[in-house]
């Protein structure tokens, strides 16, 4: 991988930083954040501005360019990749290391007195603006919003914003019609005494209107905002998408309808001016509800006295708690996904010994098997297919330069998932196609114990996911081992594979309590640098638990695995398991046999069925 | 308990709220927080202003008095007590319940437009001021500092601020001399580039100078501030205490000394003016270090540009990580404490069947046995001696009206501790002097499993205590049970029995990582309202753990119990324990026998020794 040569681009950027065409007064620094105007985790090519200016295309990182310097902040997952992708014009700022300055501190240390620092107000979240602005101000500088994006100004061949066709989802998939969702939302707005709600997250707009898109790779969303009033609905979306008859019918655009459900379609770009117009008409004490993670531009458009900011919009929570139809859909999706993986692992078992399978061809084969399943739409993220030392790179994606052949001598880790019209999957299995070493089995078994500890945990209603994180680590900790990532994330239903507001991580303190109907991943791991990686991941559904007692009538919760793919028993050091853990493995495999076995049979996939039966033989603890 | 009649007091308070003698302009509301000027958890009688004005004397609560209304905010521990102690002039605001307004929201809802809300700037912590001030401002009101405390203005028989003699501690107790502590502190100040450090917490002043006092019941502290400069030391303390020759000698007040260790003794009351004077002399970029929990008055005295605020002062962390002499002292203190408790429980076993022992007399007897031990100074908190239903009141303190006789039919819970010159203890044991029911044993066993899970936990260096909290609950959760308090708090060394900055709680997210040498309590419980309470509490020392592997060279930690008092095996449902848990109990009891047995023998306490031997018989799991 050779770095991108950015000398000329930086020269051009520094020119526009002083050009009155773009800025009223010259700015001495320009911040290029990672996200898009919707604060998405994954972004479209037209929004990859930081990658364009620097060459570094990881999912997290902020670039700051001053008159003399250029610096790139990123986290531990990307130190190596960023170092390879940026040229000598750039300084790499390794976040989390002791001596790395924060962006604020660095700016203060390099800026001439009384400097102006610019940023696109649509790209920077309001909370980050606030922190940065405060720090700069106290050092005598000022953070200024620059309306026109300066990267766009020098990006000649910038891709168009995607505007792909929409998919409409009927009640059999969504369980609740969009009118009903809007009515429920308005009830929440009345409860909180707000008059308006601004929806900025792409997956929230998609969920609310029961529409899907494909504007962002792997994420079935489309570029749009929505503003919901007590009797109006405005959908900000580029108009030509609304030409499609099935979309028009789905949204009842041509039907006579109660006024409060009549959707006004407004151009995507006009969201700011429309919001400003709404705010002009507000009486004192009338409030507008917005996520506190929304862009500075939209937040600022609402006068302070009218702002009602929360970490979580009511849509975010409603979306996280899946209804019966969504749960059914997620079950179906996971059954189909398991069928594809049984096929894949059966195929790998035969092909790997021949030496012809690589990380890339295995990933392709997984996609091929998945695409054979009903309602398959796309993958849900870039497949992590890694063998041996590549497995220790947590966010590994095989490319020709690193592509490695699978063999009987190395652990193989496959973290993959798909988007089906009825649900989203995300599953990791770690396999050995030869004879694993005692140490590999030992580590695998600790990871499995952690996986089971979370999956089988019983906990009171109202418990936040981060309180369960240590359960996943306890067996590893006992032996001095650990893994440097969270244990689980929320999973959307035919939506983003990472979604808030719940999760299981030592880091997440702003997570919402777990509720029955929420769906999260359970994915502890262990990674030995330059040697191997182990991760065992199921997607699990939060369900009520039956307990012997019921303290304070609070009720209890536990998890039910939706993922039903065998866990390779060859990798287990059975004596390290307790009897309860043994029983868990055998119960889980019995369920895989029953549910996935039936589906394999009905799809006529007999060889994969035989593989499943072999792989789900019960294990026994010697006494 | 009959409520305090506050009609006349409130009338007087409302008068001074309008009196130009006290306020420049009339105020429409006055806030009376719980703490003192040092933000102490436990306070002296002269600082019990909220109790004076309202009658409610719990350890947590805030009173707000407006021209028409009076309201009292307190938390779940005190709903019942507060309701009994306040009269009909007051509205009880039950914090944590869904419909209870915050203080800010309530004020905004009741105040006339453009109101002034007053508070004593020395009593309100800076962070609370900030939140309150912001909320009031956004509603058109203003929070104003009222220099003279308005409660003091109407409190005719207000007690004097205590000014009790000081105790000096020599190196055998403290391990480090005060000059050495100051030198280490100054090294930290250089590291952080601060010129001054203001010490406001009473236990930090005590620790820094190796002095103890008794100004606050059970807390061996004294009223003082310290301001440490790079070459000056100012101790703000009422001067007559410095008349004592041993104190003068300890602080080297009359010795010729390097200038930078010369202590200037300054009147307690002059801290604000002295701090202001210091700040006037600061050059740009010169900083003053202060805890972000310090009072608004002191925080405000430092101009914003010169403030260096952290959640934790370097003294707070140095104090939490005990040195070898302190650890030795804590060990000795816990051995003596265990001797006293063996005597007590042996005595109870004989006396309870006679029907003559009550909660109060048992608590008195515990104090009597403790006071026989070497270097005994005081109790470390009000003894919680509770039997039957009283045990379910987590913060119960027996008073004549509620005093209950111990019997063979009820569970007895004793949570008690002492201050010895060499250390502070805090131990809870739950006993039955008859035959416990199967249900009581079952609950006790779950609590014990939780206690063991924390005590035996192995975790990486750098882990924060709150990540261990769920280990204590897991066995209870499995059966639908839980307890509504944290699992552990930091414990001082002959200092406050509750100290920061570490702890084990689902609530504490600002806790500092656990380090070898820190000392915390491990005290899960289970409480069945109107029936019984169970709690098992040891004080435990954080120690390095030997592990099979050592991921990333981080090293691991675990706990060693300092408390060595038998856990009543009669209460254990042994089949519910795992073999590992059984082994833990037997190992623990073996250590109690060895260490406490030897001490009982050397103190000639033969009957208590026989009791110890009986109570520490190994348990066996049937196979």
């Amino acid at each position: 991988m050779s770095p991108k040569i950015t000398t000329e681009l930086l020269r051009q950027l520094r020119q526009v930083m002083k050009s009155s065409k773009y800025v009223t007064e010259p700015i001495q620094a320009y911040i290029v954040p990672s996200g898009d105007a919707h604060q998405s985790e994954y972004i479209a090519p037209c929004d990859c501005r930081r990658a364009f200016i620097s060459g570094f295309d990881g999912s997290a990182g902020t670039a700051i360019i001053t008159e003399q310097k250029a610096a790139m902040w990123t986290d531990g997952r990307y130190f190596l990749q960023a170092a390879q992708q940026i040229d000598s014009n750039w300084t790499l700022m390794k976040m989390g290391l002791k001596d790395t300055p924060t962006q604020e501190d660095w700016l203060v240390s390099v800026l001439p007195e009384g400097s102006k620092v610019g940023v696109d107000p649509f790209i920077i979240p309001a909370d980050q603006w606030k922190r940065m602005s405060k720090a700069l101000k106290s050092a005598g500088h000022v953070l200024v919003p620059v309306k026109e994006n300066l990267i766009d100004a020098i990006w000649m061949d910038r891709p168009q914003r995607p505007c792909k066709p929409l998919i409409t989802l009927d009640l059999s998939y969504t369980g609740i019609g969009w009118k009903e969702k809007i009515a429920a939302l308005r009830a929440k707005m009345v409860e909180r005494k707000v008059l308006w709600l601004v929806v900025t997250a792409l997956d929230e707009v998609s969920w609310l209107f029961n529409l899907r898109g494909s504007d962002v790779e792997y994420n079935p969303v489309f570029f749009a905002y929505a503003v919901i009033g007590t009797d109006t609905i405005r959908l900000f979306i580029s108009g030509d998408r609304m030409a499609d008859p099935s979309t028009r019918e789905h949204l009842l655009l041509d039907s006579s309808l109660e006024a409060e459900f009549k959707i006004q379609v407004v151009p995507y770009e006009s969201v700011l001016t429309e919001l400003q117009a709404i705010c002009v008409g507000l009486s004192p004490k009338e409030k507008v509800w917005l996520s506190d993670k929304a862009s500075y531009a939209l937040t600022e458009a609402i006068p302070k006295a009218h702002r009602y900011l929360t970490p979580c919009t009511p849509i975010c929570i409603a979306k996280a708690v899946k209804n019966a139809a969504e749960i059914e859909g997620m079950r179906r999706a996971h059954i189909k996904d398991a069928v594809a993986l049984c096929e894949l692992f059966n195929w790998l078992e035969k092909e790997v010994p021949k030496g012809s399978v690589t990380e890339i061809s295995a990933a392709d084969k997984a996609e091929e098997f998945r695409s054979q399943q009903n309602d398959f739409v796309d993958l849900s993220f870039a497949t992590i297919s890694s063998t041996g030392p590549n497995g220790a790179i947590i966010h590994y994606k095989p490319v020709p330069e690193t592509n490695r052949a699978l063999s009987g001598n190395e652990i193989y880790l496959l973290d993959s998932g798909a988007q089906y019209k009825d649900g989203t999957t995300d599953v990791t299995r770690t396999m050995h196609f030869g004879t694993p070493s005692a140490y590999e089995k030992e580590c695998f078994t600790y990871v499995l114990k952690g996986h089971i500890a979370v999956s089988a945990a019983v906990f009171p209603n109202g418990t936040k996911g981060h309180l369960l994180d240590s359960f996943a680590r306890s067996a590893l900790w006992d032996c001095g081992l650990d893994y440097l990532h969270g244990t689980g994330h929320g999973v959307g239903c035919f939506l983003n594979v990472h979604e808030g507001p719940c999760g299981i991580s030592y880091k997440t303190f702003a997570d919402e309590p777990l509720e029955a109907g929420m769906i999260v991943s359970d994915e502890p791991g262990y990674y030995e640098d330059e040697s191997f990686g182990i991760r065992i991941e199921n997607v699990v559904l939060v369900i009520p638990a039956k307990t012997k007692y019921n303290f304070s009538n609070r009720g209890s919760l536990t998890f039910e695995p939706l993922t039903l793919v065998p866990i390779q028993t060859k990798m287990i050091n059975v004596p390290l398991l307790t009897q309860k853990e043994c029983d868990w493995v055998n119960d889980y495999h019995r369920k895989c046999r029953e549910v996935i076995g039936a589906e394999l049979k009905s799809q006529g996939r007999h060889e994969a069925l035989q593989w499943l039966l072999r792989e789900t033989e019960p294990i026994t603890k010697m006494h």
Side-chain angles (χ1 to χ4, degrees), chain A:
Chain A
M1 227 183 290
S2 56
K4 177 168 179 169
I5 304 305
T6 59
T7 311
E8 174 56 19
L9 283 178
L10 289 172
R11 195 191 58 74
Q12 290 174 13
L13 178 63
R14 284 169 180 141
Q15 220 160 27
V16 297
M17 283 163 60
K18 286 180 284 191
S19 156
S20 61
K21 193 177 154 198
Y22 299 101
V23 288
T24 44
E25 282 184 83
I27 58 173
Q28 283 69 46
Y30 188 62
I31 305 176
V32 186
S34 204
D36 63 15
H38 305 269
Q39 283 62 55
S40 309
E41 184 184 4
Y42 296 96
I43 55 179
C46 63
D47 289 318
C48 296
R49 299 178 176 101
R50 189 248 302 141
F52 170 77
I53 192 67
S54 70
F56 167 55
D57 67 0
S59 74
T62 298
I64 303 186
I65 299 93
T66 68
E67 290 164 303
Q68 307 291 339
K69 294 171 192 285
M72 172 68 66
W73 281 258
T74 190
D75 64 55
R77 295 172 297 172
Y78 292 116
F79 291 166
L80 202 67
Q81 179 181 334
Q84 289 170 341
Q85 294 183 322
I86 59 183
D87 70 7
S88 61
N89 289 297
W90 291 83
T91 307
L92 180 58
M93 298 293 191
K94 298 181 175 181
M95 287 162 68
L97 298 197
K98 222 181 111 191
D99 295 329
T100 305
T102 63
Q103 295 164 23
E104 297 90 312
D105 287 349
W106 181 80
L107 275 170
V108 168
S109 74
V110 302
L111 285 176
E113 258 179 58
S115 285
K116 290 192 161 43
V117 178
V119 67
D120 181 338
F122 268 99
I123 305 298
I124 190 167
D127 55 346
Q128 281 180 37
W129 169 284
K130 200 173 164 182
R131 204 178 56 230
M132 175 64 79
S133 174
K134 201 175 155 184
L136 290 177
K137 195 179 154 192
S138 80
H141 309 295
V142 57
L143 185 63
V144 294
V146 178
K147 270 186 195 157
E148 187 149 354
N149 191 291
L150 299 189
I151 302 296
D152 298 358
I154 61 165
W155 191 351
M156 291 313 144
D157 54 350
R158 180 168 169 246
Q160 288 282 315
R161 182 160 301 283
C163 189
K164 305 231 179 101
L166 302 183
I167 304 172
T168 61
L169 292 180
D170 65 35
L171 274 182
S172 68
Y173 293 106
T174 65
I176 311 180
W178 63 263
K179 283 169 62 181
E180 219 180 311
K181 287 182 178 178
I182 299 240
L185 186 57
R186 284 180 174 146
K188 290 271 174 210
M189 289 164 60
V190 167
E191 214 179 283
R192 304 288 188 104
K193 298 181 187 139
V194 302
L195 229 55
W196 298 92
L197 183 127
V198 185
V199 192
T200 62
L202 298 184
D203 61 339
E204 295 189 15
V205 179
S206 298
W207 181 87
L208 185 60
F209 292 103
N210 295 332
L211 289 171
R212 298 294 186 271
S214 55
D215 288 355
V216 180
E217 200 180 10
Y218 309 127
N219 296 259
V221 296
F222 53 94
F223 285 102
Y225 297 95
V227 174
I228 312 299
T230 44
D231 51 10
T232 56
I233 303 170
R234 288 178 222 194
L235 179 59
F236 297 80
I237 189 165
S238 104
D240 37 351
R241 292 213 245 210
M242 291 296 117
D244 177 66
S246 66
T247 306
R248 297 193 70 79
E249 196 186 329
H250 175 84
L251 295 177
L252 305 169
L253 293 183
D254 308 309
S255 317
S256 67
L257 199 62
E258 312 91 298
E260 72 263 34
F261 290 118
K262 200 86 195 154
I263 297 175
Q264 300 165 250
V265 177
V266 195
Y268 174 73
E269 292 74 18
S270 64
V271 62
L272 184 64
T273 49
E274 286 273 333
L275 181 57
Q276 285 164 336
I278 285 173
C279 290
V280 165
L282 291 176
S283 310
K285 294 207 172 177
E286 288 183 344
K287 301 272 185 188
V288 181
W289 197 340
L290 187 69
S291 161
D292 66 4
K293 286 161 204 73
S295 71
Y296 172 73
L298 292 185
T299 309
E300 201 57 16
I302 309 167
K304 243 183 179 174
H306 296 293
R307 267 180 229 162
Y308 183 76
L309 303 185
T310 59
C312 231
T313 70
I315 302 179
C316 176
I317 295 184
K319 176 166 65 62
V321 181
K322 273 70 178 172
N323 62 43
E326 289 170 327
I327 290 171
E328 259 330 290
M330 286 293 271
R331 279 191 209 286
R332 278 196 310 273
H334 280 83
I335 292 170
K336 293 181 285 189
D337 212 55
V339 165
L341 285 187
C342 288
E343 283 282 12
L344 175 76
F345 291 132
N346 174 54
W347 179 83
L348 285 176
E349 237 176 55
K350 289 184 302 179
E351 297 299 319
V352 169
K354 299 179 192 164
S356 57
V357 184
T358 66
E359 293 168 339
I360 293 179
S361 71
D364 291 345
K365 198 74 186 175
E367 182 165 2
E368 182 189 323
F369 283 123
R370 283 188 161 110
S371 68
Q372 293 165 3
Q373 294 298 315
N374 193 28
D375 271 349
F376 171 86
V377 178
D378 197 356
L379 299 183
S380 57
F381 56 99
T383 299
I384 300 175
S385 170
S386 56
T387 184
N390 288 340
I393 304 166
I394 298 171
H395 273 234
Y396 179 76
K397 184 191 163 187
V399 289
E401 293 90 326
T402 62
N403 193 21
R404 212 172 157 90
L406 276 61
S407 83
N409 305 318
E410 290 183 341
I411 287 182
Y412 176 62
L413 184 159
L414 179 72
D415 185 351
S416 62
Q419 300 286 2
Y420 303 90
K421 259 183 93 174
D422 38 15
T424 303
T425 67
D426 181 1
V427 45
T428 310
R429 286 296 179 268
T430 305
M431 321 277 286
H432 204 293
F433 299 106
T435 307
S437 73
Y439 179 60
E440 289 168 336
K441 287 174 67 175
E442 184 185 358
C443 295
F444 184 94
T445 307
Y446 297 145
V447 173
L448 177 61
K449 287 168 86 82
H451 180 92
I452 296 172
V454 169
S455 197
V458 174
F459 49 91
N461 253 316
T463 302
K464 294 186 171 194
H466 69 256
L467 291 171
L468 308 180
D469 184 75
S470 300
F471 290 157
R473 298 177 200 273
S474 180
L476 288 161
W477 282 356
D478 276 343
C479 291
L481 303 181
D482 197 6
Y483 55 95
L484 301 181
H485 60 73
T487 301
H489 53 80
V491 179
C493 180
F494 185 28
L495 264 177
N496 298 353
V497 73
H498 291 174
E499 70 168 22
C502 54
I504 303 174
S505 172
Y506 61 99
K507 284 181 289 189
T508 315
F509 299 134
D511 55 338
E512 290 290 315
L514 293 170
E515 276 183 55
M518 284 181 169
I519 292 178
V520 296
S521 69
D522 168 15
E523 47 178 319
Y526 176 69
Y527 309 91
E528 185 109 347
D529 268 1
E530 290 166 31
S531 185
F532 62 83
I534 292 166
R535 185 159 64 247
I536 303 173
E537 175 185 26
N538 280 351
V539 168
V540 296
L541 170 69
V542 182
I543 58 169
K546 289 190 193 75
T547 53
K548 189 170 176 186
Y549 306 112
N550 187 8
F551 175 67
S552 270
N553 267 316
R554 278 196 296 175
S556 293
L557 299 171
T558 186
F559 297 111
E560 178 198 329
L562 296 178
T563 306
L564 293 171
V565 176
I567 293 165
Q568 198 177 39
T569 52
K570 183 208 280 185
M571 286 291 292
I572 303 176
N573 179 336
V574 180
L576 289 179
L577 296 185
T578 64
Q579 189 55 52
K580 263 175 126 171
E581 289 163 340
C582 250
D583 294 345
W584 186 95
V585 170
N586 291 333
D587 288 347
Y588 179 71
H589 279 157
R590 192 176 315 118
K591 197 166 173 198
C592 291
R593 270 193 185 196
E594 281 170 22
V595 179
I596 308 306
E599 182 68 18
L600 284 166
K601 202 179 278 178
S602 86
Q603 292 195 17
R605 297 176 182 269
H606 301 296
E607 212 182 302
L609 175 59
Q610 290 314 309
W611 178 87
L612 173 70
L613 295 177
R614 279 199 308 277
E615 288 292 308
T616 51
E617 283 290 335
I619 54 174
T620 11
K621 247 180 101 71
M622 302 299 168
H623 286 288

